[in-house]
Amino acid sequence: MPFAFLKRNKAGPGPNTGTASAPGAPTSATTSVVTDSPVGPPAEVEGGRRTAFRGFTEEWRLEGSMAIDGRLTDILNKREPIAIDNVRWAPLDGSTPMVDAPGLRSIDPYDLIIVIAGDGSLPPMSEEERSAHRIHKVRYPLALELPPFRVIGTVQLYPGSEPERLLDRGSEMFLPVVEARATLGDEIIDTDGIEDILINRAYLRGVEQVDRRTGERSEPLPVSGGRDDPDAAEGGAEGPGGSAAPA
């Protein structure tokens, strides 16, 4: 792999160890990135496609295109380097504007904290397929803390899965958050209208059920009856703390 900052210990987030910065890239006393010169075109994915993305690491904000074959979540969860091109980057703190980074040819999913990608990140799905993906899941409005980021949106979990368990290590490293908005400290991250954000659970430090409109903490709704109780079914399936499975 061409970049030291993309060679993180697979056990999770850790310090960067590179000492040189890429030609034309932003630099600072705390930045440590090693690159090589661009050599040839980025790797192509057989039968795949490219999708625009924006990604955020511990030190950088990136934008460009990513070579994928299938759902972006599935590709990231393979935990293997992904070919990228047309990349621009800037320090995370926004101290300098975005500049071209022609040396960036691949990225390690471990380094990405959040990823914003458009409709091109998903293969075409029929309405029946979309319904099948959602029918057995419960919607939880959550605030997800990935310091210095905070993402508020809806996470769909299987019945019986408590949101707090997202803090546990799992086989799926990246989690999709829909109807999402994100902040970096006090800065609202502009997503250009895209409402799907992928978060890296390795960086997740807090999970809280909230009112999605306000982002404020909400108390779980009580379940007063079983599946035959229409009030319990309605509140449990869609409410902030519902635990009943959708009908």
Side-chain angles (χ1 to χ4, degrees):
M1 293 183 56
F3 299 97
F5 94 113
L6 302 180
K7 291 183 177 179
R8 176 163 293 130
N9 185 328
K10 303 308 183 192
N16 297 331
T17 58
T19 57
S21 52
T27 60
S28 71
T30 59
T31 299
S32 54
V33 177
V34 172
T35 76
D36 60 1
S37 300
V39 269
E44 296 292 338
V45 176
E46 183 178 355
R49 66 194 187 288
R50 295 194 174 274
T51 184
F53 81 97
R54 256 182 290 175
F56 296 80
T57 73
E58 289 181 312
E59 294 186 351
W60 301 96
R61 54 183 79 203
L62 312 166
E63 61 182 36
S65 61
M66 184 179 288
I68 63 174
D69 182 16
R71 295 171 59 87
L72 179 56
T73 309
D74 297 335
I75 301 302
L76 291 169
N77 280 330
K78 289 180 179 179
R79 311 183 187 206
E80 298 174 354
I82 302 171
I84 57 176
D85 63 358
N86 300 319
V87 180
R88 304 177 74 234
W89 66 356
L92 188 62
D93 62 12
S95 56
T96 63
M98 302 285 282
V99 298
D100 292 338
L104 269 173
R105 296 296 185 178
S106 68
I107 192 162
D108 189 330
Y110 281 89
D111 289 282
L112 293 166
I113 302 176
I114 65 174
V115 181
I116 302 168
D119 293 338
S121 64
L122 295 175
M125 295 177 66
S126 67
E127 190 56 40
E128 291 76 13
E129 288 174 318
R130 292 181 185 274
S131 298
H133 273 272
R134 298 172 181 163
I135 194 167
H136 297 302
K137 293 189 176 182
V138 181
R139 294 165 57 88
Y140 288 95
L142 301 177
L144 304 156
E145 306 290 345
L146 306 97
F149 301 96
R150 188 172 195 251
V151 178
I152 296 175
T154 300
V155 175
Q156 301 181 50
L157 301 175
Y158 288 104
S161 299
E162 296 298 327
E164 292 75 14
R165 298 300 301 272
L166 294 173
L167 292 166
D168 299 341
R169 292 281 181 174
S171 58
E172 294 187 347
M173 185 167 67
F174 279 85
L175 175 75
V177 185
V178 302
E179 303 164 345
R181 60 185 186 272
T183 54
L184 169 57
D186 295 330
E187 173 194 352
I188 299 174
I189 297 176
D190 182 9
T191 62
D192 290 333
I194 297 170
E195 294 188 338
D196 294 350
I197 295 177
L198 303 178
I199 66 163
N200 188 337
R201 290 172 58 188
Y203 293 86
L204 189 58
R205 297 296 177 264
V207 177
E208 186 176 60
Q209 294 188 49
V210 298
D211 183 316
R212 192 175 61 83
R213 295 166 297 177
T214 65
E216 299 297 326
R217 179 184 176 87
S218 64
E219 294 300 326
L221 295 178
V223 178
S224 58
R227 289 179 56 87
D228 295 331
D229 183 338
D231 294 330
E234 181 179 354
E238 298 294 337
S243 57

mmCIF file with all atom_site columns, all heavy atoms in Angstrom, residues 102-115:
data_model
loop_
_atom_site.group_PDB
_atom_site.id
_atom_site.type_symbol
_atom_site.label_atom_id
_atom_site.label_alt_id
_atom_site.label_comp_id
_atom_site.label_asym_id
_atom_site.label_entity_id
_atom_site.label_seq_id
_atom_site.pdbx_PDB_ins_code
_atom_site.Cartn_x
_atom_site.Cartn_y
_atom_site.Cartn_z
_atom_site.occupancy
_atom_site.B_iso_or_equiv
_atom_site.pdbx_formal_charge
_atom_site.auth_seq_id
_atom_site.auth_comp_id
_atom_site.auth_asym_id
_atom_site.auth_atom_id
_atom_site.pdbx_PDB_model_num
ATOM 1   N N   . PRO A 1 102 ? -2.885  13.594 -6.143  1.00 0.00 ? 102 PRO A N   1
ATOM 2   C CA  . PRO A 1 102 ? -2.753  12.576 -7.201  1.00 0.00 ? 102 PRO A CA  1
ATOM 3   C C   . PRO A 1 102 ? -2.058  11.313 -6.741  1.00 0.00 ? 102 PRO A C   1
ATOM 4   O O   . PRO A 1 102 ? -2.171  10.275 -7.382  1.00 0.00 ? 102 PRO A O   1
ATOM 5   C CB  . PRO A 1 102 ? -1.932  13.303 -8.274  1.00 0.00 ? 102 PRO A CB  1
ATOM 6   C CG  . PRO A 1 102 ? -1.178  14.362 -7.522  1.00 0.00 ? 102 PRO A CG  1
ATOM 7   C CD  . PRO A 1 102 ? -2.089  14.805 -6.416  1.00 0.00 ? 102 PRO A CD  1
ATOM 8   N N   . GLY A 1 103 ? -1.325  11.357 -5.622  1.00 0.00 ? 103 GLY A N   1
ATOM 9   C CA  . GLY A 1 103 ? -0.645  10.153 -5.152  1.00 0.00 ? 103 GLY A CA  1
ATOM 10  C C   . GLY A 1 103 ? -1.543  9.176  -4.436  1.00 0.00 ? 103 GLY A C   1
ATOM 11  O O   . GLY A 1 103 ? -1.154  8.034  -4.215  1.00 0.00 ? 103 GLY A O   1
ATOM 12  N N   . LEU A 1 104 ? -2.743  9.598  -4.062  1.00 0.00 ? 104 LEU A N   1
ATOM 13  C CA  . LEU A 1 104 ? -3.649  8.706  -3.350  1.00 0.00 ? 104 LEU A CA  1
ATOM 14  C C   . LEU A 1 104 ? -4.320  7.766  -4.342  1.00 0.00 ? 104 LEU A C   1
ATOM 15  O O   . LEU A 1 104 ? -5.157  8.201  -5.133  1.00 0.00 ? 104 LEU A O   1
ATOM 16  C CB  . LEU A 1 104 ? -4.709  9.504  -2.592  1.00 0.00 ? 104 LEU A CB  1
ATOM 17  C CG  . LEU A 1 104 ? -4.387  9.899  -1.159  1.00 0.00 ? 104 LEU A CG  1
ATOM 18  C CD1 . LEU A 1 104 ? -5.462  10.817 -0.620  1.00 0.00 ? 104 LEU A CD1 1
ATOM 19  C CD2 . LEU A 1 104 ? -4.255  8.682  -0.268  1.00 0.00 ? 104 LEU A CD2 1
ATOM 20  N N   . ARG A 1 105 ? -3.980  6.484  -4.276  1.00 0.00 ? 105 ARG A N   1
ATOM 21  C CA  . ARG A 1 105 ? -4.499  5.492  -5.208  1.00 0.00 ? 105 ARG A CA  1
ATOM 22  C C   . ARG A 1 105 ? -5.335  4.418  -4.539  1.00 0.00 ? 105 ARG A C   1
ATOM 23  O O   . ARG A 1 105 ? -6.020  3.663  -5.214  1.00 0.00 ? 105 ARG A O   1
ATOM 24  C CB  . ARG A 1 105 ? -3.347  4.839  -5.979  1.00 0.00 ? 105 ARG A CB  1
ATOM 25  C CG  . ARG A 1 105 ? -2.569  5.794  -6.867  1.00 0.00 ? 105 ARG A CG  1
ATOM 26  C CD  . ARG A 1 105 ? -3.455  6.334  -7.963  1.00 0.00 ? 105 ARG A CD  1
ATOM 27  N NE  . ARG A 1 105 ? -2.717  7.158  -8.903  1.00 0.00 ? 105 ARG A NE  1
ATOM 28  C CZ  . ARG A 1 105 ? -3.247  7.718  -9.983  1.00 0.00 ? 105 ARG A CZ  1
ATOM 29  N NH1 . ARG A 1 105 ? -4.530  7.549  -10.236 1.00 0.00 ? 105 ARG A NH1 1
ATOM 30  N NH2 . ARG A 1 105 ? -2.522  8.456  -10.787 1.00 0.00 ? 105 ARG A NH2 1
ATOM 31  N N   . SER A 1 106 ? -5.256  4.310  -3.239  1.00 0.00 ? 106 SER A N   1
ATOM 32  C CA  . SER A 1 106 ? -6.077  3.334  -2.532  1.00 0.00 ? 106 SER A CA  1
ATOM 33  C C   . SER A 1 106 ? -6.265  3.819  -1.103  1.00 0.00 ? 106 SER A C   1
ATOM 34  O O   . SER A 1 106 ? -5.513  4.664  -0.615  1.00 0.00 ? 106 SER A O   1
ATOM 35  C CB  . SER A 1 106 ? -5.448  1.936  -2.549  1.00 0.00 ? 106 SER A CB  1
ATOM 36  O OG  . SER A 1 106 ? -4.258  1.917  -1.781  1.00 0.00 ? 106 SER A OG  1
ATOM 37  N N   . ILE A 1 107 ? -7.276  3.276  -0.445  1.00 0.00 ? 107 ILE A N   1
ATOM 38  C CA  . ILE A 1 107 ? -7.537  3.661  0.926   1.00 0.00 ? 107 ILE A CA  1
ATOM 39  C C   . ILE A 1 107 ? -7.938  2.429  1.734   1.00 0.00 ? 107 ILE A C   1
ATOM 40  O O   . ILE A 1 107 ? -8.589  1.515  1.218   1.00 0.00 ? 107 ILE A O   1
ATOM 41  C CB  . ILE A 1 107 ? -8.636  4.746  0.994   1.00 0.00 ? 107 ILE A CB  1
ATOM 42  C CG1 . ILE A 1 107 ? -8.697  5.346  2.404   1.00 0.00 ? 107 ILE A CG1 1
ATOM 43  C CG2 . ILE A 1 107 ? -10.000 4.194  0.573   1.00 0.00 ? 107 ILE A CG2 1
ATOM 44  C CD1 . ILE A 1 107 ? -9.408  6.673  2.452   1.00 0.00 ? 107 ILE A CD1 1
ATOM 45  N N   . ASP A 1 108 ? -7.479  2.407  2.969   1.00 0.00 ? 108 ASP A N   1
ATOM 46  C CA  . ASP A 1 108 ? -7.792  1.308  3.868   1.00 0.00 ? 108 ASP A CA  1
ATOM 47  C C   . ASP A 1 108 ? -9.044  1.682  4.656   1.00 0.00 ? 108 ASP A C   1
ATOM 48  O O   . ASP A 1 108 ? -9.082  2.726  5.314   1.00 0.00 ? 108 ASP A O   1
ATOM 49  C CB  . ASP A 1 108 ? -6.615  1.102  4.821   1.00 0.00 ? 108 ASP A CB  1
ATOM 50  C CG  . ASP A 1 108 ? -6.742  -0.154 5.674   1.00 0.00 ? 108 ASP A CG  1
ATOM 51  O OD1 . ASP A 1 108 ? -7.889  -0.540 5.975   1.00 0.00 ? 108 ASP A OD1 1
ATOM 52  O OD2 . ASP A 1 108 ? -5.703  -0.728 6.045   1.00 0.00 ? 108 ASP A OD2 1
ATOM 53  N N   . PRO A 1 109 ? -10.101 0.863  4.613   1.00 0.00 ? 109 PRO A N   1
ATOM 54  C CA  . PRO A 1 109 ? -11.327 1.196  5.346   1.00 0.00 ? 109 PRO A CA  1
ATOM 55  C C   . PRO A 1 109 ? -11.107 1.467  6.827   1.00 0.00 ? 109 PRO A C   1
ATOM 56  O O   . PRO A 1 109 ? -11.863 2.227  7.432   1.00 0.00 ? 109 PRO A O   1
ATOM 57  C CB  . PRO A 1 109 ? -12.207 -0.045 5.138   1.00 0.00 ? 109 PRO A CB  1
ATOM 58  C CG  . PRO A 1 109 ? -11.749 -0.618 3.842   1.00 0.00 ? 109 PRO A CG  1
ATOM 59  C CD  . PRO A 1 109 ? -10.264 -0.379 3.827   1.00 0.00 ? 109 PRO A CD  1
ATOM 60  N N   . TYR A 1 110 ? -10.073 0.868  7.424   1.00 0.00 ? 110 TYR A N   1
ATOM 61  C CA  . TYR A 1 110 ? -9.823  1.093  8.842   1.00 0.00 ? 110 TYR A CA  1
ATOM 62  C C   . TYR A 1 110 ? -9.597  2.566  9.155   1.00 0.00 ? 110 TYR A C   1
ATOM 63  O O   . TYR A 1 110 ? -9.850  3.017  10.267  1.00 0.00 ? 110 TYR A O   1
ATOM 64  C CB  . TYR A 1 110 ? -8.598  0.296  9.301   1.00 0.00 ? 110 TYR A CB  1
ATOM 65  C CG  . TYR A 1 110 ? -8.876  -1.165 9.539   1.00 0.00 ? 110 TYR A CG  1
ATOM 66  C CD1 . TYR A 1 110 ? -8.760  -2.082 8.503   1.00 0.00 ? 110 TYR A CD1 1
ATOM 67  C CD2 . TYR A 1 110 ? -9.242  -1.632 10.794  1.00 0.00 ? 110 TYR A CD2 1
ATOM 68  C CE1 . TYR A 1 110 ? -9.006  -3.432 8.712   1.00 0.00 ? 110 TYR A CE1 1
ATOM 69  C CE2 . TYR A 1 110 ? -9.492  -2.974 11.023  1.00 0.00 ? 110 TYR A CE2 1
ATOM 70  C CZ  . TYR A 1 110 ? -9.370  -3.876 9.970   1.00 0.00 ? 110 TYR A CZ  1
ATOM 71  O OH  . TYR A 1 110 ? -9.629  -5.206 10.172  1.00 0.00 ? 110 TYR A OH  1
ATOM 72  N N   . ASP A 1 111 ? -9.085  3.334  8.194   1.00 0.00 ? 111 ASP A N   1
ATOM 73  C CA  . ASP A 1 111 ? -8.757  4.728  8.441   1.00 0.00 ? 111 ASP A CA  1
ATOM 74  C C   . ASP A 1 111 ? -9.959  5.647  8.338   1.00 0.00 ? 111 ASP A C   1
ATOM 75  O O   . ASP A 1 111 ? -9.898  6.785  8.804   1.00 0.00 ? 111 ASP A O   1
ATOM 76  C CB  . ASP A 1 111 ? -7.682  5.194  7.452   1.00 0.00 ? 111 ASP A CB  1
ATOM 77  C CG  . ASP A 1 111 ? -6.335  4.571  7.762   1.00 0.00 ? 111 ASP A CG  1
ATOM 78  O OD1 . ASP A 1 111 ? -5.672  5.035  8.702   1.00 0.00 ? 111 ASP A OD1 1
ATOM 79  O OD2 . ASP A 1 111 ? -5.962  3.602  7.083   1.00 0.00 ? 111 ASP A OD2 1
ATOM 80  N N   . LEU A 1 112 ? -11.029 5.207  7.721   1.00 0.00 ? 112 LEU A N   1
ATOM 81  C CA  . LEU A 1 112 ? -12.204 6.045  7.524   1.00 0.00 ? 112 LEU A CA  1
ATOM 82  C C   . LEU A 1 112 ? -13.096 6.012  8.760   1.00 0.00 ? 112 LEU A C   1
ATOM 83  O O   . LEU A 1 112 ? -13.459 4.937  9.233   1.00 0.00 ? 112 LEU A O   1
ATOM 84  C CB  . LEU A 1 112 ? -12.985 5.572  6.298   1.00 0.00 ? 112 LEU A CB  1
ATOM 85  C CG  . LEU A 1 112 ? -12.273 5.769  4.960   1.00 0.00 ? 112 LEU A CG  1
ATOM 86  C CD1 . LEU A 1 112 ? -12.975 4.971  3.858   1.00 0.00 ? 112 LEU A CD1 1
ATOM 87  C CD2 . LEU A 1 112 ? -12.227 7.249  4.587   1.00 0.00 ? 112 LEU A CD2 1
ATOM 88  N N   . ILE A 1 113 ? -13.448 7.185  9.282   1.00 0.00 ? 113 ILE A N   1
ATOM 89  C CA  . ILE A 1 113 ? -14.344 7.258  10.429  1.00 0.00 ? 113 ILE A CA  1
ATOM 90  C C   . ILE A 1 113 ? -15.781 7.341  9.963   1.00 0.00 ? 113 ILE A C   1
ATOM 91  O O   . ILE A 1 113 ? -16.644 6.611  10.435  1.00 0.00 ? 113 ILE A O   1
ATOM 92  C CB  . ILE A 1 113 ? -13.996 8.460  11.324  1.00 0.00 ? 113 ILE A CB  1
ATOM 93  C CG1 . ILE A 1 113 ? -12.547 8.355  11.804  1.00 0.00 ? 113 ILE A CG1 1
ATOM 94  C CG2 . ILE A 1 113 ? -14.946 8.536  12.526  1.00 0.00 ? 113 ILE A CG2 1
ATOM 95  C CD1 . ILE A 1 113 ? -12.087 9.556  12.624  1.00 0.00 ? 113 ILE A CD1 1
ATOM 96  N N   . ILE A 1 114 ? -16.063 8.252  9.031   1.00 0.00 ? 114 ILE A N   1
ATOM 97  C CA  . ILE A 1 114 ? -17.382 8.299  8.403   1.00 0.00 ? 114 ILE A CA  1
ATOM 98  C C   . ILE A 1 114 ? -17.203 8.434  6.904   1.00 0.00 ? 114 ILE A C   1
ATOM 99  O O   . ILE A 1 114 ? -16.218 8.989  6.430   1.00 0.00 ? 114 ILE A O   1
ATOM 100 C CB  . ILE A 1 114 ? -18.278 9.436  8.956   1.00 0.00 ? 114 ILE A CB  1
ATOM 101 C CG1 . ILE A 1 114 ? -17.696 10.809 8.620   1.00 0.00 ? 114 ILE A CG1 1
ATOM 102 C CG2 . ILE A 1 114 ? -18.464 9.292  10.459  1.00 0.00 ? 114 ILE A CG2 1
ATOM 103 C CD1 . ILE A 1 114 ? -18.626 11.950 9.034   1.00 0.00 ? 114 ILE A CD1 1
ATOM 104 N N   . VAL A 1 115 ? -18.160 7.917  6.161   1.00 0.00 ? 115 VAL A N   1
ATOM 105 C CA  . VAL A 1 115 ? -18.152 7.967  4.699   1.00 0.00 ? 115 VAL A CA  1
ATOM 106 C C   . VAL A 1 115 ? -19.513 8.443  4.227   1.00 0.00 ? 115 VAL A C   1
ATOM 107 O O   . VAL A 1 115 ? -20.550 7.943  4.685   1.00 0.00 ? 115 VAL A O   1
ATOM 108 C CB  . VAL A 1 115 ? -17.844 6.579  4.081   1.00 0.00 ? 115 VAL A CB  1
ATOM 109 C CG1 . VAL A 1 115 ? -17.822 6.671  2.561   1.00 0.00 ? 115 VAL A CG1 1
ATOM 110 C CG2 . VAL A 1 115 ? -16.524 6.032  4.603   1.00 0.00 ? 115 VAL A CG2 1
#
